[in-house]
Amino acid sequence: MDTMDFSSALLELKRGNRIARTGWNGKGMWLALTPASTFPAFAAKLGHAAYHRAIEAQDESVRLCAHIDMRAADGSMVIGWLASQTDILADDWMVVTAGFQA
């Protein structure tokens, strides 16, 4: 298994690949980049942040900025993952392939 530093892993995210650390304790955890998007304000779901943004500005559309999301060990999705200093300095990042179970 080839590993890399965070700089290289970030480039893999930008290429559309999922990445993970071999040092993470949870099974099946990975990161993916969600690209920026724009959608009609009426499509924002009640109670979601985008809904509040649409009401606040009374815009016809909502712009969602690009962000990194994580699949947690319990299978849930964490929207807006933030790297720790340990994650940023780690050299055990890898590209996630089909059937990943690390």
Side-chain angles (χ1 to χ4, degrees), residues 6-85:
F6 187 67
S7 297
S8 298
L10 186 57
L11 290 174
E12 292 297 334
L13 277 179
K14 290 179 177 181
R15 290 182 183 124
N17 293 314
R18 295 176 296 158
I19 61 169
R21 286 195 54 207
T22 61
W24 279 341
N25 292 328
K27 293 271 185 213
M29 295 170 60
W30 48 258
L31 305 178
L33 178 66
T34 298
S37 61
T38 302
F39 55 89
F42 69 81
K45 292 185 178 182
L46 179 64
H48 288 216
Y51 175 83
H52 294 290
R53 174 66 185 114
I55 297 299
E56 172 186 274
Q58 297 181 4
D59 290 338
E60 291 188 20
S61 63
V62 174
R63 185 174 54 94
L64 183 64
C65 296
H67 57 278
I68 298 171
D69 296 331
M70 171 188 249
R71 182 201 184 271
D74 66 1
S76 64
M77 293 300 298
V78 178
I79 308 303
W81 174 82
L82 296 174
S84 68
Q85 289 190 37

